[in-house]
Each structure stands twice: as C-alpha cells, then as structure tokens.
Amino acid sequence: MSIEKINQGDQLSQSADLVNDNIDKLKMLFPEIVTEGRIDFKALQQVLGEELEEEEEYYRFTWAGKSQARREAHKPSTGTLRPAKEESLDWDTTQNMYIEGDNLEVLKLMQKSYAGKIKMIYIDPPYNTGKDFVYKDNYKDNLKNYQEVTGQIDSEGNKTSTNSDSDGRYHSNWLNMMYPRLRLARNLLKDDGVIFMSIDDNELENLKKVGNEIFGEENFVANIIWRGGKRNAAKWISNSHEYMVFFAKNISYISGENVSWKVKKQGLDDIYKYYKELKKEKSNDLNDITAKLKRWFRELPENHPAKDHKHYSNVDKLGIYCFDNISRVGGGKYEIINPNTGNIVTSPSRGWVFGKKDDFWRAYKDGIIEFNDDNQPYLKRYLKNNESQLIDTVIYKDRRASSKLLRKLLGGNLFDFPKDIEVLKFFMSAVTNSNDLILDFFSGSASSAESVMQLNLEDGRNRKHIQVQLPEKTEEKSEAFKSGYKTITEIGKERIRRVVKKIKEGNPEKSKEMDLGFKVFKLDSSNIKSWDGNPENLNESLFDAVGNIKPDRSEEDVLYEILLKYGLDLTLPIEER
C-alpha cells in the first residue's frame, strides 16, 4: 500500500473503537433492542427481565472517578508506535518487542493486533506508597499527558501530583490509574490466558476487588504469598512477604481443556546437589547415605524450600524415594505372601493399587515395592519421577538476590527492587509453553524479559515477550543518572542486551536456536495529519492537506501505523520492493 493511498479520515488515525465494538456485540445478541441505530435501554430491560438491578442499595465496588476511568478504557487512542531500529537487536528476525510509552495508550493501540493472543500477563504496578504517581491520567488528552511527563512538550505547570495518604482520594487515584489498564489488558488474553499482579498490603483488597469486577469472581485463581525475607527496618512489624494476585481469563474454558498448572518443586537442586556429594563420598553405602540425608533435612532452616520434601529421605540404587500408600479405593483384592517371612498378607480394605497380582509382583521385581518388618508392603515414590506439583499459595525466595544479580550485570545499583527472575520463571514455567506470548506493561528493569530468555534457555522452548515501559526520567542524584542512564527504558534495554551477550557467551550452540532480539517501538502522535476545519485557517489547511503525512515521518513509520490500525502483528516479516 503506497502512502498516497492512505485513508485521510479519522478511522485510520485511531485505535480500536471498543464502544462501537460492544454495541455491535449487543446488536448481534439482541437485534430487537436497536432502534434507528441506537440502543433502546427499555427494550434491553424487557429482554433481560428481572436480571437488572434496580434497587439503590446493592453490593458494588465503587470509588471517586470510576465512571471516568471506565470511559477512558473505551476511548480510542490517536497515537501510534514508531519503529526505532537503531535501538533494536536482530530487527529483521525477532518476534520480541520493547515499547516505550504510557502503557494506557500502548494497550489501546494493541487492541486490534493482539486481542486474544497473550498467554500470560505479569505486572508489577507502582505500589500506593504515598509518593508521586508518574502515571497521571487527566482523561482529556493522554497522549499530550505522556509527552508532558517525558519532557517532549512544555508541561504548562501540569506536573505529576503527589498522592498523599492524607488526600481524600488516596485509594481512588490509584484505582483510576489501574482500572482502564486492566480492562484493556483482559482483552489481550487468550481464552486460556492468565494474569499475575504483584502488590503489597496497601492496595491488596482493592486490587482483588477490581480484578473480580474486570475478570469475574469465578476467574479468580489464588492470592499467592511470596515470602522474600525479613525487613528489619520496618517500623512496627517485620513485613517478610508480598502478594501475587492470580486471575484467569476464562476458568471454564481452562477446566474444559484439562489444563494443569504445574511447576518444578522448589529446593530440588539443593537436594540433588547434596545427594551427589554423598554418593561421591560414600559410594555404595546406601544406609549411610540415607542416614546423612535424613540428618541434612533435619538441620535445614525451617524456611528452606527443600524442607518441604523431607519425606524424600530414603535412598536405594534407583535414587531418592519416600514410602507411599500401596492401596486405593476400588483396587485389586487378593492375598500375597511376604517373600521375607513367608507370612500371608491380606488385601487392604480399599484394595491394592495394582489391580492384578501379576502387576504387583512385577513392580516388586522392579524394586519399587518394599516389605517392612510388620509384613506390610510399601510403594516407593521416587523424587526423580515426582518433580512437579501444583502451584502452592506460599512460595519462598529471598528478594535480595535479585538486586545483587542486577547490580553485577549492570555494574552498579541502577534500579531499586527489581523482581526476582527465578520467581517469574517459576510462574512462567507453570502456565506457558512453546510459542506463547508474555506481556509485561509495567516492565521496569525488564526482569520479565530476562526471565523469558533464561527459561527458554533451560527448557528449549521459544516463548516471546512484549515489554512496555514509560520512559520515566531517572533522578539526577541517582547512580543510574550518573552512569549515563537518563530514563528507566534505557536501563531496561541495556539489561536485555547484556543478558543476550551473557547467554551467547555461555551457551554458544543453544543461543543460535533462540530468539534473543527485540524490536523497539516508541509511542508518538499519529503520522497522519489531522484536518483543521477552522474557517480562519482554511487556506493554510487546504494547502497543508495536499500531503497527509507529517513531514518528519518516514514510510516505515506509516507502515507500522497501518499494521496497528488494521490489526496485523508488528513482528511480521517485512519485504521491501
């Protein structure tokens, strides 16, 4: 499509019109409620019967500004995403993206191209701690608001406001920031998609409630507690945890597809490491290895993740195991003879787990059944065959390790409180698979990008990621600013580059098969000139409209705006002719 053929109307210069989309859906469901192109709410009430709430007092979650926040989620964006090849890595081949911009506007622009395509969203939004909000929505012109925050235009005194806890709208301000973003984010999830949201005590209740409204109470999965170590600097009590609120897009669909979210048990690496040391030291002395393994479990700190698997403290030639119940409801009913004593062992009341006697003795010969002194046989359950489990509602990972690793990677303390990549990998491994797309629209230092790459390196899969981050300026007194990083996005992009370099140096062969690049896009006003119909400027407007593309924009800028507005993937291969 040539630039000359681009539609000069407003349709191409805006993102998806979600209001009209919703009206069209209502028309399809209830054609009788439409009269002369408008919704007849009296007719809708008649169709729905008694399902409409008419009482003034009823259960609901509301706050100051909620109506505006809801309308904002449906208002189209007039912006676009401009490619920045010079800041990208492997532009021509990568399917990963790093987008600089206000995530509210970016999420609007993604509605056509990425609706129903994201498998997992992870966000670590600004916690409501009474500090300044960078995400200040005035519901008039968010694109202009974004340009003011990032210093692209004069702010005219419209600076970021302080959200003090003495402000009467302390919680409302935070909710007004979150609501439209979550509303738009839900549209991007696949039917089996999920979202994890990190939060602390200040807004946990409100985030859960707003999540119930947007995703539906039936799609709430869990409130996961992440124990990250004690903070002795606390004023009254040492707060050692934060939360991850977990919602699904459609739990009914997930249930129907028999989806199971399983993760590798925590602490296994430590168990295997010590077991290998014992084998090397004691060779074939299985009794001594077992005794020392039991003692090792007893001496572990209570909060060590391996402690949860202390029942796996027996060792034979096949590995580490625990004793399991050998009966099951509806199992086989038959007598067996204990080969050690010759005594007859009757069937358990529920029956043997093996339906047939031949299967029982076959398992015994394979070494997975053992008889103890009281004639009772036990089934051996080996750790190597049971490394996965359902996600637990409490996980432990010292939060301080993530800061140390990032300091080492970037050569300084450039970002406070980065998220732990091991924790993110833990959840990503449970809910995603090959080719799945993961979105983080509060990207920060790009911890989720590193997590995706490291997880792909470990399991050989090819998940893709999209990072969205406001180019928030770093403080002039900060180490980041002094090191040359003027914005948080510069830190995030550099982190990804250094992780890529590290992976390539440490795993040269594996890295050849991985997508380690990322395309950089930047939020900006539309490439297409808007029509100025003011009679006082009519002559100037007519001459200006001869070319409908802004003079500082390229054909490539226009191309990617067309891809966005027509709902095409921004990472599609482009052939220039």
Side-chain angles (χ1 to χ4, degrees), residues 543-558:
F543 282 106
D544 194 40
V546 172
N548 61 330
I549 305 301
K550 293 177 181 177
D552 62 336
R553 305 301 172 89
S554 67
E555 290 192 9
E556 200 159 49
D557 290 333
V558 178

Side-chain angles (χ1 to χ4, degrees), residues 160-430:
T160 305
S161 60
T162 299
N163 189 46
S164 169
D165 54 10
S166 62
D167 187 340
R169 294 192 172 184
Y170 174 67
H171 295 291
S172 294
N173 290 339
W174 190 85
L175 285 165
N176 287 330
M177 182 271 293
M178 290 296 296
Y179 185 89
R181 290 167 171 82
L182 292 179
R183 174 71 69 180
L184 292 164
R186 182 187 180 277
N187 298 337
L188 303 179
L189 285 173
K190 300 174 69 173
D191 284 337
D192 60 349
V194 298
I195 182 170
F196 293 89
M197 299 176 281
S198 288
I199 200 65
D200 66 356
D201 287 298
N202 289 311
E203 296 294 346
L204 172 64
E205 294 90 350
N206 286 331
L207 182 60
K208 171 70 164 35
K209 288 178 182 177
V210 79
N212 283 341
E213 179 169 323
I214 292 173
F215 295 95
E217 288 187 60
E218 68 279 6
N219 293 313
F220 171 71
V221 179
N223 183 23
I224 297 169
I225 296 173
W226 171 16
R227 294 181 60 202
K230 295 181 180 180
R231 286 179 175 168
N232 294 323
K235 190 173 182 180
W236 293 294
I237 190 169
S238 178
N239 192 344
S240 63
H241 70 279
E242 55 188 278
Y243 308 94
M244 279 196 182
V245 182
F246 180 10
F247 278 91
K249 169 74 173 289
N250 187 339
I251 203 71
S252 296
Y253 177 86
I254 289 171
S255 177
E257 293 294 308
N258 294 318
V259 173
S260 178
W261 297 312
K262 288 193 174 182
V263 292
K264 185 178 179 180
K265 294 173 180 176
Q266 291 185 290
L268 296 192
D269 291 341
D270 291 330
I271 297 173
Y272 288 138
K273 181 180 178 181
Y274 185 65
Y275 171 61
K276 287 180 180 178
E277 291 175 359
L278 290 176
K279 281 192 69 177
K280 187 176 180 181
E281 176 186 340
K282 294 296 180 180
S283 185
N284 295 321
D285 192 344
L286 299 178
N287 291 330
D288 194 40
I289 293 175
T290 297
K292 290 194 172 181
L293 185 61
K294 289 179 183 292
R295 187 173 66 188
W296 179 77
F297 274 118
R298 287 195 301 269
E299 293 175 351
L300 281 177
E302 286 302 318
N303 58 5
H304 196 290
K307 194 87 168 181
D308 293 336
H309 316 301
K310 60 185 179 182
H311 49 293
Y312 283 99
S313 56
N314 300 288
V315 176
D316 66 10
K317 62 182 181 180
L318 298 178
I320 305 170
Y321 69 92
C322 70
F323 289 115
D324 200 2
N325 199 324
I326 200 169
S327 67
R328 67 174 174 84
V329 176
K333 296 287 186 76
Y334 46 84
E335 293 181 345
I336 57 173
I337 296 176
N338 186 326
N340 298 329
T341 64
N343 295 330
I344 296 175
V345 181
T346 59
S347 169
S349 59
R350 302 194 309 170
W352 300 111
V353 70
F354 299 99
K356 297 180 180 179
K357 186 181 291 190
D358 289 345
D359 295 332
F360 181 98
W361 289 116
R362 190 176 296 112
Y364 173 76
K365 289 179 181 178
D366 290 340
I368 61 174
I369 291 179
E370 182 173 313
F371 287 83
N372 63 13
D373 294 336
D374 61 1
N375 289 327
Q376 285 300 316
Y378 285 91
L379 190 66
K380 294 180 182 179
R381 181 151 49 96
Y382 289 90
L383 184 58
K384 62 185 178 182
N385 299 327
N386 294 275
E387 294 184 340
S388 297
Q389 65 181 21
L390 294 175
I391 298 175
D392 201 345
T393 54
V394 179
I395 62 171
Y396 176 82
K397 181 67 173 66
D398 192 330
R399 60 166 66 91
R400 293 169 296 186
S402 56
S403 296
K404 291 179 182 178
L405 289 172
L406 187 58
R407 280 198 299 270
K408 183 177 180 181
L409 181 69
L410 297 178
N413 187 24
L414 307 183
F415 192 90
D416 295 329
F417 309 119
K419 274 296 174 279
D420 192 287
I421 64 169
E422 294 300 324
V423 172
L424 297 186
K425 281 163 51 183
F426 178 78
F427 291 110
M428 289 175 183
S429 66

